[in-house]
Amino acid sequence: MKIGFVGAGRVGSTAAFTCILYMDVDEVALVDIAEDLAVGEAMDLSHAAAAVDKYPKVVGGSDYSLLKGSDVIVVSAGMARKPGMSRLDLATKNAGIIKDIAKKIVESSPESKIIVVTNPMDLMTYIMWKETGKPRNEVFGMGNMLDSARLKERLHSFGARNIRKAWIIGEHGDSMFIPWSLADFDGEVPREKVLEEVRFVAAEVIKRKGATVYGPAVSIYRMVNAVVNDTKEEIPTSVVLQGEYGISDVAVGVPAILGRNGIEKIVEYELTEEELESLKNSANILKERLKELGY
């Protein structure tokens, strides 16, 4: 089992750390434009692994050939979101970075599944899919997994218990929403307040500590694990739709089964009319921004 990471910053390196701790990984490769950072993180991760009697091969550098043979490549490289910035503000700058990364991944490890984390994640997922020319099941984005974790934390804080299912779907951004018709937990919560807090909690974390790190890292691990260990776990995931939910030619978050083939199945639930409109609203917002980016 080999996992590649493009971006050895806080999110990429912490995600690699989490995967090494919780999975039986044979090899981890970290690639970053800052070569010393990637090499140093690889060394540090090797020491952490040895502390729990694990000895995967961990390599780092700026050469994309290090990614060859990766089962999954996690892409978190790009300009980071700064305090006061929305995810969409990053679009133009990061689109160019993702185009370059897509070309290099296809050259170095064309068979790998790709999980996109770089923000604005839904847009970058679409661009990665378009630029690599890979099947849509092999390129997908991590966003709603993290949003849903934040939702579960907020539900619990408001008194919900036995949270069996609670998802955020739609854009990984301001138009995200909760499909309450699919939620399954015990207790009552103030729905509008819960959604408001989930929508804006990332900005609050960024304001206070500069970046979100642990939540994204563990969410990445969950998705990587689902793919490489073929768990067939149902996870809200950004994927290019081709008619599902009446939406086409845009990547947006919907429930999907993850396994060895990447997106094994997009699950189409019977949403309420209001929920379906919210999902289409997210898709339309993203389509407009894609047009601005030349897609």
Side-chain angles (χ1 to χ4, degrees):
M1 183 192 300
K2 179 175 180 178
I3 306 170
F5 293 85
V6 179
R10 284 180 286 183
V11 170
S13 59
T14 307
F17 173 73
T18 307
C19 289
I20 288 170
L21 279 187
Y22 289 103
M23 299 168 62
D24 293 323
V25 181
D26 298 307
E27 186 173 351
V28 172
L30 294 96
V31 172
D32 199 289
I33 192 172
E35 185 166 41
D36 282 345
L37 173 65
V39 172
E41 290 290 0
M43 294 170 67
D44 201 4
L45 286 166
S46 296
H47 305 157
V52 290
D53 296 318
K54 293 187 175 188
Y55 301 93
K57 180 181 180 181
V58 187
V59 295
S62 58
D63 191 337
Y64 276 72
S65 66
L66 293 173
L67 299 172
K68 185 177 181 180
S70 296
D71 295 284
V72 178
I73 296 173
V74 177
V75 178
S76 60
M79 183 178 179
R81 186 179 173 198
K82 302 265 192 313
M85 292 179 70
S86 75
R87 295 178 180 91
L88 292 179
D89 290 334
L90 296 174
T92 301
K93 291 183 180 296
N94 282 345
I97 294 171
I98 291 297
K99 283 183 187 179
D100 183 57
I101 291 170
K103 179 182 177 182
K104 290 175 178 175
I105 287 178
V106 169
E107 291 172 350
S108 62
S109 190
E111 74 285 354
S112 302
K113 310 300 182 295
I114 303 172
I115 299 177
V116 179
V117 181
T118 304
N119 275 320
M121 183 277 306
D122 300 288
L123 301 180
M124 298 304 107
T125 297
Y126 183 91
I127 292 171
M128 180 69 77
W129 167 73
K130 200 78 170 177
E131 295 295 328
T132 58
K134 292 171 72 68
R136 64 173 177 155
N137 63 293
E138 295 186 2
V139 181
F140 43 98
M142 190 290 293
N144 286 163
M145 172 73 227
L146 173 58
D147 298 324
S148 298
R150 290 167 175 160
L151 170 60
K152 288 167 67 178
E153 188 276 332
R154 288 291 80 200
L155 288 172
H156 189 272
S157 74
F158 280 108
R161 294 295 179 265
N162 300 318
I163 304 171
R164 294 169 289 274
K165 183 185 290 185
W167 289 333
I168 293 281
I169 62 175
E171 177 198 6
H172 178 52
D174 293 345
S175 69
M176 68 174 68
F177 70 99
I178 303 167
W180 290 106
S181 67
L182 306 181
D184 184 13
F185 57 85
D186 297 335
E188 296 293 328
V189 298
R191 294 186 175 191
E192 290 301 319
K193 186 168 180 59
V194 167
L195 177 57
E196 181 181 3
E197 293 193 5
V198 173
R199 273 179 173 160
F200 299 111
V201 70
E204 185 66 17
V205 173
I206 292 167
K207 176 183 175 183
R208 292 176 180 273
K209 62 170 281 190
T212 61
V213 179
Y214 303 116
V218 177
S219 298
I220 291 166
Y221 149 72
R222 285 278 305 278
M223 294 181 70
V224 169
N225 182 65
V227 174
V228 297
N229 286 317
D230 198 28
T231 66
K232 303 294 194 292
E233 185 175 2
E234 187 173 6
I235 291 175
T237 306
S238 185
V239 59
V240 176
L241 299 184
Q242 294 177 343
E244 295 86 0
Y245 294 101
I247 298 168
S248 294
D249 202 34
V250 67
V252 68
V254 294
I257 305 295
L258 298 189
R260 174 63 64 181
N261 295 315
I263 302 293
E264 300 277 351
K265 179 183 179 183
I266 295 170
V267 185
E268 286 191 83
Y269 286 98
E270 188 173 334
L271 301 176
T272 68
E273 186 176 334
E274 182 179 357
E275 290 166 351
L276 186 57
E277 283 305 308
S278 294
L279 184 58
K280 289 180 177 180
N281 177 58
S282 270
N284 288 335
I285 288 170
L286 292 165
K287 280 186 174 184
E288 285 302 311
R289 188 51 62 98
L290 282 170
K291 286 180 183 177
E292 293 173 12
L293 294 173
Y295 290 87

